[in-house]
Amino acid sequence: MQNTTSPSELMQLQPTILRFTQMLSAVLKIDAEVVDADLVRIAGTGPYSKFFGKKLNTSSRIFRYIIETNEEKVVVKSRTDPLCEGCKNKSSCREMAFLGVPIMIEDRCLGVISLVAFTEDSRERIKDNVQLFSDYVKHIAQIVVSKVVEKNSKNKGLDEVFTHLIENMDQGVLVLDENNRVKYGNQPALKNLNITQDELYNLEIKIQSLSLHNNEIKSHQQHIISQGEWQKLIVGQFYNTQGQQLFLMAYHQTNSDLMIQDHSSLLSTVIGESTKMRQLKKMITRVASSPSSVLINGESGTGKEVIANAVHNLSDRSQSPFIAINCAAIPEPLLESELFGYVKGAFTGASNKGKNGLIQAANKGTLFLDEIGDMPMTLQAKLLRVLEERKVMPIGSNDAVPVDIRIISATNHNFQEMIATNKFREDLYYRLNVIPFQLPPLREREGDIALLTNYFLEYHTQKIGVVYPGISAEAMRRLNAYHWPGNVRELSNLIEYLVNIVPEGDQIDIDLLPPHFEQAPEAACPEEAYNDDYSMSLEDMERNRIEEAIYRLGNRKMVAEELGIGIATLYRKIKKYELNNHRTS
């Protein structure tokens, strides 16, 4: 058993294990949970996505069995299994099936990784794929063990260095414990939150992400930081450094601070050369300079914010702010104050300094309203007034403030149905839908999966700081054959997951792909994508892209920035493709 007076070896890696667990659940489409040898929950999804660091008081019989026997356990019909006999929670148990694998280091069990079914569909998935899922979870368990060994071998004397570096950063930084409670914040963070260090220690602040998906080709996410009735919207990103979980805060900056403004690279993040994507790119360049509102319609995960960014970058407003907010993820009272702002004393908990809303923050620039279909009707009326009058009325104020903004909105809803059922204002819809964009799902973008895979491999290896692994032709065939219900976001999450688990020096092969990729129908993939020269055609596309950028820009730093890769990676690829004779500075 673990020493209960100090965090277990798994708890010391909690942020990393939580990330692995979320990705494992996403790729297998089944909820997952990890506990240590003391039955303390380390990570989990679905109903088990909270109370990390707490000891289980229910559902522990099967975990105890696995920890004591060091053997995996599969239950495909709960309540009738012998281990469930005598359980006091048997009648109220929601678990319909279970697959648990011990995390072993030598002869010692560190804990258990489990898959849990809460629906009949998930139960059938476990039942029909027991061996596949078991082998896959065992593979993940070995990766966790390697992380534990790596953690134990690292230098432990860096806390003082980290504290010094954080305190001298201009950017706001919060240091979090394993339950996402803040235990330290530097001065820029305290200033942004408008609290003192003492208040920081006394408050049990929790950070709630507005999205379960970390990477829709964007560098920061919106989060709600709250305690009791006090709430504040902040922008930033989680990082795990030497076992420390950090939250780096970002501020609403002008777009010129956040993005490369070289006009030759303004569409570089819109990845895709399929017919539909080429048509969309032409449409973007044609309407970007217009002040008219744009409505982007597409399935969840298709990359609507990427398109909104591209429209802004190509417009005359590109040097002014691009402000994005997710209307579906923020509670109505907070959404109203964030959008419209408020004056001193407007409501209980309001800052005594008042606050400018995001509409004012986007003045002269672009306001991107994601999931606009989920905006409450009361706020729809206020937004319509802003669009008609080009003035915003902060909460508690009698004076309207003139604003000059372009609205880009996005949705995956059917507006005709919403209008017919009085869930969305028809007059607002026509104000927003002046220029409609239809973003195609990934399954309809023939040839783009290879381009996006290459892009995400570069993106995630840079972000994580690992060696570019490459991908085998057979694995690429499997990706092409898959139907991608989660679209580009699902592909990005999968590639991030694979980059994390591929052994250093190896390439991503089919043994690392989640089991459901083995069942992908080959007929869904064009026959020509199966020839053995496929990986070479991908290299040809990459070589041509680099060669064209070098010829056009003539500067290697600018080429690397446009392609979204590091300068060292660019030099490696120039050497690989023998492009050294091209003129660059």
Side-chain angles (χ1 to χ4, degrees):
M1 298 292 285
Q2 306 285 348
N3 182 357
T4 57
T5 61
S6 61
S8 66
E9 289 167 288
L10 296 186
M11 183 55 78
Q12 291 176 39
L13 289 169
Q14 194 266 347
T16 300
I17 294 175
L18 176 59
R19 189 173 71 247
F20 274 16
T21 305
Q22 290 170 337
M23 289 190 290
L24 176 68
S25 173
V27 297
L28 295 184
K29 297 183 174 66
I30 296 176
D31 283 309
E33 183 181 22
V34 178
V35 302
D36 67 15
D38 285 327
L39 299 178
V40 172
R41 181 175 294 154
I42 307 299
T45 65
Y48 299 141
S49 61
K50 52 187 177 181
F51 304 125
F52 301 145
K54 303 293 184 183
K55 192 164 185 175
L56 302 186
N57 51 20
T58 60
S59 305
S60 59
R61 285 174 172 245
I62 300 179
F63 284 127
R64 289 182 189 276
Y65 170 83
I66 296 172
I67 292 168
E68 290 171 0
T69 63
N70 296 342
E71 296 178 356
E72 72 172 291
K73 175 66 178 177
V74 179
V75 177
V76 294
K77 194 170 183 181
S78 61
R79 302 187 186 183
T80 62
D81 192 271
L83 281 178
C84 298
E85 291 182 8
C87 177
K88 296 178 181 179
N89 300 290
K90 187 175 180 180
S91 60
S92 61
C93 180
R94 296 170 54 199
E95 296 183 3
M96 302 181 69
F98 176 96
L99 187 156
V101 171
I103 303 172
M104 302 295 298
I105 183 166
E106 297 178 346
D107 296 326
R108 184 164 57 94
C109 180
L110 301 181
V112 178
I113 298 180
S114 65
L115 302 177
V116 188
F118 293 100
T119 65
E120 185 62 33
D121 180 63
S122 297
R123 189 187 79 82
E124 289 299 316
R125 284 174 58 75
I126 291 179
K127 179 182 175 182
D128 295 342
N129 299 278
V130 168
Q131 193 58 53
L132 276 173
F133 285 0
S134 173
D135 291 343
Y136 202 69
V137 175
K138 285 176 183 175
H139 180 69
I140 300 301
Q142 288 306 306
I143 294 171
V144 171
V145 168
S146 69
K147 295 291 183 182
V148 170
V149 173
E150 180 183 345
K151 166 78 174 175
N152 291 339
S153 65
K154 282 183 177 178
N155 184 352
K156 300 292 196 291
L158 296 177
D159 284 349
E160 187 175 337
V161 177
F162 274 124
T163 302
H164 178 75
L165 288 173
I166 291 169
E167 198 54 56
N168 285 278
M169 288 178 68
D170 294 330
Q171 186 174 9
V173 181
L174 301 176
V175 182
L176 313 175
D177 66 13
E178 63 271 12
N179 296 313
N180 279 354
R181 288 192 297 263
V182 180
K183 60 182 183 180
Y184 175 77
N186 64 0
Q187 287 304 311
L190 298 177
K191 182 178 179 181
N192 191 35
L193 294 173
N194 197 24
I195 58 177
T196 66
Q197 193 72 250
D198 289 339
E199 289 173 320
L200 185 72
Y201 289 137
N202 293 332
L203 292 176
E204 194 173 305
I205 299 174
K206 297 189 184 215
I207 294 182
Q208 171 195 347
S209 174
L210 300 189
S211 172
L212 292 176
H213 306 282
N214 295 20
N215 295 293
E216 195 177 354
I217 326 178
K218 53 189 176 183
S219 57
H220 296 99
Q221 300 169 288
Q222 294 172 329
H223 302 262
I224 297 173
I225 192 166
S226 62
Q227 199 277 327
E229 295 184 358
W230 179 77
Q231 292 182 319
K232 184 176 178 65
L233 191 72
I234 59 175
V235 179
Q237 184 71 51
F238 287 100
Y239 292 91
N240 182 37
T241 305
Q242 298 292 336
Q244 295 276 14
Q245 187 177 198
L246 306 179
F247 183 83
L248 272 61
M249 303 171 73
Y251 307 99
H252 291 304
Q253 305 174 51
T254 62
N255 197 66
S256 57
D257 292 330
L258 291 173
M259 294 195 165
I260 305 161
Q261 289 300 311
D262 183 348
H263 281 267
S264 62
S265 65
L266 294 177
L267 279 173
S268 63
T269 56
V270 183
I271 309 298
E273 295 299 327
S274 60
T275 301
K276 290 185 177 181
M277 290 305 294
R278 284 178 178 271
Q279 292 171 348
L280 182 61
K281 288 181 183 181
K282 288 181 181 178
M283 185 71 168
I284 291 172
T285 57
R286 191 176 303 136
V287 306
S289 59
S290 167
S292 301
S293 298
V294 174
L295 178 61
I296 306 169
N297 197 292
E299 294 179 9
S300 179
T302 46
K304 294 184 280 290
E305 185 169 343
V306 176
I307 302 303
N309 257 304
V311 173
H312 174 79
N313 291 340
L314 280 167
S315 73
D316 297 336
R317 300 171 180 266
S318 61
Q319 299 301 316
S320 298
F322 175 87
I323 304 295
I325 189 166
N326 188 321
C327 300
I330 305 176
E332 182 175 347
L334 182 58
L335 179 60
E336 182 177 13
S337 64
E338 287 297 326
L339 275 176
F340 299 95
Y342 55 83
V343 297
K344 176 182 177 181
F347 51 85
T348 303
S351 169
N352 56 14
K353 299 176 182 177
K355 178 182 177 181
N356 286 339
L358 296 181
I359 294 176
Q360 284 179 261
N363 192 36
K364 304 295 182 182
T366 303
L367 178 66
F368 175 59
L369 300 174
D370 199 6
E371 304 299 347
I372 185 69
D374 292 288
M375 178 177 281
M377 290 290 282
T378 53
L379 297 190
Q380 291 179 32
K382 292 190 69 172
L383 178 61
L384 178 63
R385 192 175 304 118
V386 171
L387 292 175
E388 290 177 339
E389 300 176 1
R390 295 295 162 176
K391 293 180 180 179
V392 60
M393 184 80 75
I395 300 172
S397 174
N398 295 319
D399 298 319
V401 180
V403 289
D404 172 18
I405 58 172
R406 184 186 197 177
I407 298 284
I408 301 178
S409 48
T411 186
N412 57 9
H413 291 296
N414 184 323
F415 271 120
Q416 301 308 320
E417 291 181 2
M418 295 185 69
I419 291 170
T421 55
N422 294 319
K423 293 180 180 177
F424 201 87
R425 295 180 62 107
E426 187 173 17
D427 47 5
L428 177 59
Y429 168 71
Y430 288 118
R431 280 282 186 175
L432 297 174
N433 194 39
V434 178
I435 301 175
F437 280 3
Q438 185 64 44
L439 192 51
L442 187 54
R443 62 183 174 275
E444 296 177 6
R445 295 172 54 179
E446 185 177 344
D448 284 353
I449 292 173
L451 293 173
L452 286 162
T453 297
N454 185 58
Y455 173 83
F456 287 129
L457 282 171
E458 291 281 4
Y459 177 82
H460 290 304
T461 50
Q462 284 186 65
K463 188 182 75 170
I464 298 169
V466 295
V467 177
Y468 183 93
I471 185 168
S472 71
E474 180 60 32
M476 196 65 242
R477 292 188 189 104
R478 298 283 177 89
L479 298 189
N480 272 292
Y482 186 57
H483 60 289
W484 298 108
N487 291 297
V488 179
R489 182 191 292 127
E490 183 181 5
L491 176 59
S492 175
N493 289 344
L494 173 69
I495 298 302
E496 180 183 12
Y497 171 72
L498 294 171
V499 167
N500 271 281
I501 67 172
V502 63
E504 187 170 352
D506 288 1
Q507 70 173 179
I508 295 170
D509 208 346
I510 57 173
D511 63 316
L512 293 180
L513 295 178
H516 55 269
F517 280 85
E518 293 190 8
Q519 302 165 0
E522 296 192 0
C525 184
E527 185 174 333
E528 57 267 23
Y530 281 88
N531 68 63
D532 290 335
D533 293 330
Y534 178 79
S535 59
M536 180 59 69
S537 66
L538 181 59
E539 288 185 343
D540 285 343
M541 285 189 288
E542 183 179 62
R543 183 188 189 282
N544 292 339
R545 190 178 176 199
I546 294 172
E547 187 175 29
E548 187 275 333
I550 291 175
Y551 178 80
R552 176 165 41 85
L553 300 174
N555 180 287
R556 294 189 179 187
K557 183 178 180 182
M558 292 171 64
V559 170
E561 288 174 344
E562 173 171 326
L563 298 177
I565 61 177
I567 190 70
T569 302
L570 176 62
Y571 275 95
R572 176 168 57 81
K573 290 182 181 294
I574 287 174
K575 182 178 180 181
K576 173 183 176 182
Y577 296 128
E578 298 180 348
L579 301 175
N580 286 305
N581 293 329
H582 289 71
R583 178 187 58 81
T584 56
S585 55

